[in-house]
Amino acid sequence: MGIQDIIEGKKQWRAHMARVKALPPDYQIVYKEMQKYLFKVGPTNLADGRLLPGIVDFFEEGVADGKGVLQLIGNDVAAFCDDLIKDSRTYADDYQESISGTLAPDDKAGPTSVGPVG
C-alpha cells in the first residue's frame, strides 16, 4: 500500500463520516453503535467492502422517507448487524478457531470436576 492509497483512503473515510454527520442525531447514534459493534465482531473484509457506506445509503433513504431509525432496523441493533453479516467470515470466527486450535486434545473435552481444595 502506497502513500497515495493511504491518502485516498482517508479522503473516502472523511467523506463517509461527513455523510454520517449529516444524518439526524438518532440515526448518528445508531450508526455509531453499529460501527462499534461491526468493528469488534464484524466481517474480516469490513475495510474492503461496501457495508458501512451501504448502511449510510439505507439510513439516508429512511430519512428521506420520514422514518425513524428504529422503524428501519428494529430495537435490537446487534441483531440487525448480525443479520447483515450472517454469511460473512467474522473476527469472532477467527478468534474461536484460534483458541480451539491451541488447546491440547485432552483439553477440548471441557473442564473436569475438581474437588474441594484444602
Side-chain angles (χ1 to χ4, degrees):
M1 177 186 293
I3 190 77
Q4 286 303 110
D5 295 331
I6 294 170
I7 292 170
E8 185 58 33
K10 284 187 175 190
K11 285 181 185 177
Q12 289 174 358
W13 183 251
R14 286 184 184 124
H16 171 78
M17 291 310 295
R19 289 177 61 203
V20 172
K21 289 178 182 176
L23 293 169
D26 56 335
Y27 277 84
Q28 289 181 44
I29 291 167
V30 171
Y31 174 84
K32 288 175 185 174
E33 289 303 313
M34 292 173 73
Q35 183 184 43
K36 275 196 291 190
Y37 182 82
L38 291 170
F39 282 168
K40 285 182 183 176
V41 300
T44 55
N45 65 350
L46 185 62
D48 300 334
R50 292 261 320 132
L51 182 61
L52 293 176
I55 292 169
V56 177
D57 292 341
F58 179 61
F59 280 6
E60 288 171 340
E61 291 173 17
V63 171
D65 291 341
K67 294 181 180 177
V69 67
L70 296 181
Q71 287 178 289
L72 296 176
I73 68 162
N75 291 326
D76 191 340
V77 174
F80 182 81
C81 290
D82 287 341
D83 194 44
L84 287 176
I85 62 171
K86 67 182 172 197
D87 297 326
S88 300
R89 180 148 191 86
T90 65
Y91 292 114
D93 295 332
D94 289 349
Y95 177 73
Q96 187 62 39
E97 285 179 11
S98 75
I99 61 170
S100 66
T102 59
L103 295 175
D106 293 341
D107 294 335
K108 289 184 180 180
T112 59
S113 66
V114 176
V117 177

